[in-house]
Amino acid sequence: MKRIMKSEKHTLTMLVDNEPGVLSRVVGLFSGRGFNIDSLCVAETMDPKVSRITIVTQANQPLLEQIEKQLRKLINVIKLRDMSDDSSVRREMALICVQARPENRDEILRLVNLFRAKVIDVASNCYTIEASGDEDKMKALIGLLRPMGIKKIARTGTVALFREPKRGI
Amino acid sequence: MELTGAQILMEILKEEGVDTIFGFPGGAVIDLYDELIRSELRHILVRHEQGAVHAADGYARASGKVGVCLVTSGPGATNTVTGIATAYMDSIPMVIVTGQVSAHLIGNDAFQEVDIVGITRPCTKHNYLVNRVQDLARTLKEAFFIARSGRPGPVLVDIPKNLGLAKTDYQPIPPVSIKSYNPTYLPNMKQIRKALALLKTAKRPVIFGGGGVILSKASQELSTLAHALRIPVTTSLMGLGAFPGSDPLWLGMLGMHGTYRANMAISNCDLLIAVGVRFDDRVTGKTDCFADQAKIVHIDIDPTSIRKNIPVAVPVVGDCRQSLIALNRMITEEGLVASDEQRQEWLDQVLLWRKQHKLAYEQTAEVIKPQYVIEKLYKLTRGEAIITTEVGQNQMWSAQFYHFDRPQQFLTSGGLGTMGFGLPAAIGAQVAYPEQTVVDIAGDGSIQMNIQEMATAVQYKLPVKVVILNNRCLGMVRQWQQLFYDKRYAHTLFEHAPDFVKLAEAFGAHGLRATRPDEVEATLARGLAIKGPVIMDFVVESEECVYPMVPAGKPITDMLLV
Ligand SMILES: Cc1ncc(C[n+]2csc(CCOP(=O)(O)OP(=O)(O)O)c2C)c(N)n1
């Protein structure tokens, strides 16, 4: 019966009632039951009564099942979906303030182009870069910028959407 | 129709069939109370808000109805938390109405302001802060709907003071439905068929019932299943009474203080039908070893209970009663019967275990044994009393030595293990059933936690009987220290205690005491015959232990036996 289960990253998104305290119910569930949160994103949807919460968590299969069931049990959770595989698209965003010494500037701009990012602020000795992409892309960009000296970074969590069917494509 | 918030509250309570509420007033609910005395609702004034919640809880457990309490903001609200958590762990349907400071003051640290919705979020099934009087009726209706449907539980509604007198147009609310809340009552028939297939081939099946059987009123169906296929039955503490304690197929309770035969049967069965249980650690012991020879069918209305602690072969999400009805129907349709020879072998084995180790204690001439008191109580009440308990040894001995033949007869704090539960719960049960004998089997430690409710019992002429098994210590903790901490009794022995007889009299109740074994029966008989509330103080052996005992975290076959 016992199988060794691998713990993997999962992106769960849920539609919830847009009411005070709902986020606290969701987050409280995670802390109260010792589930982990890698990242969290919340915002209103097109329907102002409904918000979308996206949580990235680490869990093996039985734990993931338990997390999903516990979330569905919350009265304010309308719908929940695991958006971890190819049937969904996932993106995150970061603002990265990187040291821009004269000898680095070209390299930074090259990377910015390569990663389809943007320089959105230029100061005397640093650039602030806006970048978005999936987790791997963000990791790669940050990895390449790190040696030049990242002064500050602000990252969002992951947001995700289910891919709509592609009829006739 | 133009009504005030207070009038709307009374209106909805009436509509929901509430006839009695338990509460304690204060500034934030003064307008609600002012309306309450003009209504036909019965209000029981407790002496501490924890008592109100436990009493409403006892009322709900005994009657199956939603228990309701009303308390004020701040300290009134925080005093309810233990009671709410107790009800939440045991899935008891309740609506707790708390007062809140006026809406314009919320967030200002106003006098007696506390964020009770924040505090109780993790221990309620759901909770609400009502912002506008226009939302009050709908919110209250939702609260009752959520409390009693699906897996029941406590729901808290926090009402700011200014809503009490605020007026709004009131129209009766149509039956509530909530888009994101749809409990599954009817089981998936494919799963029932799978369960049936396992029943066909099982040689050594066991049924394990829990509180869910009582909550869904499925005892009859559980018995039908057990008798149709001659399957022995055990239950958790919360399930006691779901299957008659006098039935030959009864194994006794399982788990940490379960019977030898129940724990052995679970550990040797090849099929376990688990109904309305959540596999608490006090039941399973070491989970890897729990029923490790068995395929498990788990029926529960709450999907989160399934595969939370124990992997199962056939999960069935559904109401226990509906699921058992479906299973029983299929058994009848297929003409399934237990092969006599095979089943007899299994039942003989169970009988052998029963003979090998019975629940036992030794009553000498000098000192009263607590188990003896309970056995006598069982006899004198003909096994018919509603029993509540406190927590500790008193609770376990009650479970072992009082045999419960019907559901809603044994009311105990199973999940949270709340000392102080028994007396107020007995009051609630007595309110629900004024004619029945209701007994709180208590420890001398626990009874002191909500002893103030004796005044409530006296005021409302509720003839609850309190049987104190007075061992002058916090017995269950002392037992652990005796067995696992080399008898280092760290703060478990009371060096001072009240005189419980005088205490009873001070409250205006009757007090009786027995110190010798030959006084036990007469004292119980006298106490039970008294029309009003009584405290009976039984001075019992102080070093007695509850056996069998499975040390925490050990397989349930590792039993310390007498
Ligand atoms: C509110 C609360 N505090 C502490 C405990 C821990 N506890 C469990 S059993 C027990 C001893 C109870 O003593 P008593 O009521 O005298 O009952 P006995 O075990 O002696 O029958 C204690 C302290 C608890 N269950 N509940």
Side-chain angles (χ1 to χ4, degrees):
Chain A
M1 194 77 215
K2 277 261 128 86
R3 271 165 295 158
I4 304 295
M5 311 256 187
K6 226 172 66 204
S7 183
E8 284 178 343
K9 261 192 189 187
H10 292 273
T11 306
L12 302 176
T13 87
M14 60 209 98
L15 296 175
V16 302
D17 294 322
N18 185 9
E19 283 171 17
V22 173
L23 180 61
S24 154
R25 282 180 209 280
V26 171
V27 173
L29 179 71
F30 275 76
S31 61
R33 293 192 178 264
F35 304 153
N36 114 306
I37 298 183
D38 273 9
S39 76
L40 169 78
C41 268
V42 200
E44 218 173 83
T45 61
M46 296 307 287
D47 177 352
K49 289 208 200 90
V50 175
S51 291
R52 183 187 293 276
I53 298 181
T54 310
I55 288 184
V56 179
T57 184
Q58 297 266 2
N60 61 22
Q61 209 48 48
L63 181 61
L64 179 70
E65 185 181 320
Q66 188 57 213
I67 295 174
E68 292 187 348
K69 285 173 174 176
Q70 291 286 358
L71 285 168
R72 288 203 171 96
K73 190 170 154 180
L74 294 176
I75 310 275
N76 296 116
V77 171
I78 302 163
K79 198 171 162 188
L80 175 129
R81 198 161 202 170
D82 186 347
M83 298 214 181
S84 305
D85 64 16
D86 285 345
S87 55
S88 302
V89 285
R90 286 169 301 282
R91 289 293 180 268
E92 45 188 274
M93 181 187 155
L95 300 177
I96 308 166
C97 177
V98 65
Q99 303 241 358
R101 276 184 284 275
E103 66 271 25
N104 282 342
R105 286 188 184 159
D106 284 353
E107 175 64 0
I108 293 172
L109 293 177
R110 206 178 61 80
L111 287 171
V112 163
N113 273 333
L114 207 59
F115 281 82
R116 297 206 180 92
K118 268 192 273 185
V119 175
I120 55 169
D121 188 56
V122 177
S124 51
N125 58 357
C126 51
Y127 291 164
T128 299
I129 297 166
E130 172 198 319
S132 70
D134 63 16
E135 199 197 339
D136 289 344
K137 175 176 161 185
M138 301 307 287
K139 243 194 220 154
L141 176 59
I142 291 164
L144 290 165
L145 289 174
R146 180 171 287 135
M148 296 172 220
I150 294 178
K151 288 181 66 171
K152 293 181 287 188
I153 187 162
R155 298 177 66 176
T156 67
T158 300
V159 290
L161 275 184
F162 193 67
R163 290 180 205 266
E164 290 301 311
K166 299 184 174 51
R167 243 168 282 116
I169 303 181
Chain B
M1 183 172 37
E2 179 115 311
L3 293 184
T4 64
Q7 288 167 331
I8 289 173
L9 172 63
M10 302 311 143
E11 201 56 38
I12 302 283
L13 291 177
K14 203 161 68 186
E15 240 177 64
E16 293 293 329
V18 178
D19 49 31
T20 308
I21 69 174
F22 301 84
F24 201 89
V29 287
I30 199 161
D31 296 317
L32 306 183
Y33 267 89
D34 195 47
E35 193 59 43
L36 177 65
I37 51 167
R38 278 176 260 181
S39 78
E40 278 154 28
L41 277 170
R42 181 174 190 207
H43 177 269
I44 305 285
L45 175 65
V46 294
R47 299 305 191 260
H48 185 297
E49 288 87 352
Q50 185 183 352
V53 187
H54 290 327
D57 179 325
Y59 176 90
R61 287 181 205 236
S63 68
K65 294 195 235 169
V66 179
V68 181
C69 20
L70 175 58
V71 301
T72 194
S73 67
T78 51
N79 272 348
T80 64
V81 173
T82 303
I84 294 173
T86 303
Y88 181 66
M89 286 292 266
D90 291 343
S91 310
I92 307 304
M94 300 223 290
V95 171
I96 300 96
V97 177
T98 49
Q100 180 55 277
V101 300
S102 285
H104 73 278
L105 292 173
I106 292 179
N108 284 356
D109 300 323
F111 178 63
Q112 296 194 325
E113 176 182 1
V114 79
D115 175 14
I116 195 63
V117 168
I119 289 172
T120 58
R121 212 166 265 145
C123 62
T124 48
K125 184 170 172 188
H126 197 55
N127 61 15
Y128 297 91
L129 168 65
V130 189
N131 287 308
R132 309 178 317 152
V133 70
Q134 297 91 305
D135 300 335
L136 183 59
R138 161 94 198 171
T139 306
L140 287 164
K141 290 292 265 192
E142 281 190 14
F144 276 92
F145 173 63
I146 291 172
R148 67 161 74 93
S149 57
R151 177 179 178 178
V155 179
L156 181 140
V157 182
D158 200 23
I159 306 181
K161 169 152 194 324
N162 59 307
L163 267 54
L165 294 181
K167 285 189 172 166
T168 185
D169 181 44
Y170 170 77
Q171 299 298 337
I173 306 280
V176 176
S177 78
I178 301 171
K179 187 169 63 171
S180 53
Y181 173 69
N182 298 294
T184 308
Y185 288 94
L186 294 178
N188 182 331
M189 290 312 281
K190 266 200 233 145
Q191 297 303 95
I192 297 288
R193 204 165 287 286
K194 281 188 205 160
L196 184 78
L198 291 180
L199 275 168
K200 274 184 190 161
T201 53
K203 297 192 171 67
R204 304 183 308 278
V206 167
I207 294 172
F208 164 30
V213 177
I214 295 173
L215 289 164
S216 77
K217 303 193 164 57
S219 308
Q220 196 52 54
E221 288 72 18
L222 191 83
S223 283
T224 306
L225 174 63
H227 288 126
L229 300 181
R230 294 210 293 153
I231 305 174
V233 180
T234 181
T235 71
S236 61
L237 182 72
M238 288 303 297
L240 288 175
F243 189 76
S246 53
D247 194 293
L249 289 170
W250 175 236
L251 290 168
M253 179 176 79
L254 87 168
M256 182 175 273
H257 295 295
T259 63
Y260 179 76
R261 65 183 192 283
N263 285 359
M264 291 306 283
I266 288 282
S267 305
N268 288 280
C269 69
D270 64 355
L271 175 64
L272 184 64
I273 309 280
V275 191
V277 300
R278 57 186 179 83
F279 294 103
D280 182 90
D281 52 275
R282 287 295 190 263
V283 156
T284 61
K286 189 174 161 82
T287 47
D288 291 352
C289 307
F290 182 81
D292 56 0
Q293 300 184 32
K295 294 213 167 71
I296 300 180
V297 175
H298 188 181
I299 301 174
D300 202 281
I301 195 156
D302 180 0
T304 69
S305 289
I306 298 176
R307 294 201 175 119
K308 183 175 64 179
N309 300 334
I310 296 280
V312 300
V314 181
V316 181
V317 177
D319 174 62
C320 294
R321 181 159 178 272
Q322 294 300 335
S323 305
L324 288 174
I325 288 175
L327 183 59
N328 287 338
R329 193 182 304 133
M330 228 178 248
I331 287 170
T332 318
E333 278 166 14
E334 305 224 347
L336 190 60
V337 283
S339 127
D340 273 355
E341 214 171 290
Q342 213 173 60
R343 193 54 44 86
Q344 200 52 50
E345 211 177 295
W346 176 228
L347 294 175
D348 287 346
Q349 174 62 65
V350 170
L351 209 59
L352 186 68
W353 284 322
R354 182 193 174 114
K355 283 190 191 132
Q356 280 169 346
H357 294 284
K358 290 194 172 161
L359 292 174
Y361 66 94
E362 207 183 319
Q363 180 58 66
T364 60
E366 295 80 40
V367 196
I368 304 174
K369 287 296 174 78
Q371 301 95 323
Y372 177 71
V373 179
I374 297 174
E375 281 199 333
K376 287 293 166 208
L377 177 69
Y378 176 71
K379 208 185 99 192
L380 289 172
T381 53
R382 294 179 304 279
E384 287 169 1
I386 295 177
I387 301 291
T388 72
T389 74
E390 303 293 339
V391 170
Q393 295 180 316
N394 58 83
Q395 180 183 34
M396 291 303 125
W397 284 319
S398 304
Q400 293 179 335
F401 290 94
Y402 202 102
H403 310 289
F404 301 94
D405 271 347
R406 58 172 209 274
Q408 301 176 326
Q409 189 190 356
F410 181 58
L411 321 179
T412 196
S413 167
L416 201 67
T418 307
M419 290 170 68
F421 172 80
L423 174 56
I427 288 174
Q430 191 79 77
V431 168
Y433 296 103
E435 303 304 326
Q436 292 199 31
T437 304
V438 180
V439 183
D440 171 28
I441 300 180
D444 51 313
S446 302
I447 194 63
Q448 294 183 59
M449 286 209 170
N450 274 318
I451 189 77
Q452 76 286 347
E453 299 309 329
M454 277 312 284
T456 311
V458 172
Q459 175 175 340
Y460 293 95
K461 301 192 170 55
L462 299 165
V464 295
K465 308 291 182 275
V466 180
V467 168
I468 302 179
L469 305 175
N470 188 347
N471 53 12
R472 278 98 49 221
C473 61
L474 298 169
M476 186 55 94
V477 183
R478 190 208 56 75
Q479 170 170 346
W480 284 51
Q481 291 167 336
Q482 175 183 337
L483 298 174
F484 312 119
Y485 290 83
D486 273 336
K487 296 200 177 182
R488 288 190 303 280
Y489 294 144
H491 297 282
T492 44
L493 310 182
F494 286 127
E495 283 160 25
H496 175 77
D499 178 332
F500 288 110
V501 172
K502 282 193 192 151
L503 192 55
E505 287 163 357
F507 276 114
H510 291 266
L512 301 173
R513 176 173 296 124
T515 53
R516 295 171 41 84
D518 56 12
E519 296 168 353
V520 169
E521 196 156 346
T523 307
L524 279 169
R526 263 183 68 203
L528 290 168
I530 293 172
K531 294 271 181 287
V534 183
I535 292 181
M536 290 169 254
D537 183 20
F538 292 90
V539 180
V540 300
E541 164 69 52
S542 61
E543 294 236 317
E544 191 71 8
C545 288
V546 181
Y547 292 113
M549 175 172 196
V550 178
K554 288 279 165 65
I556 57 169
T557 43
D558 284 14
M559 285 171 269
L560 307 175
L561 299 157
V562 230

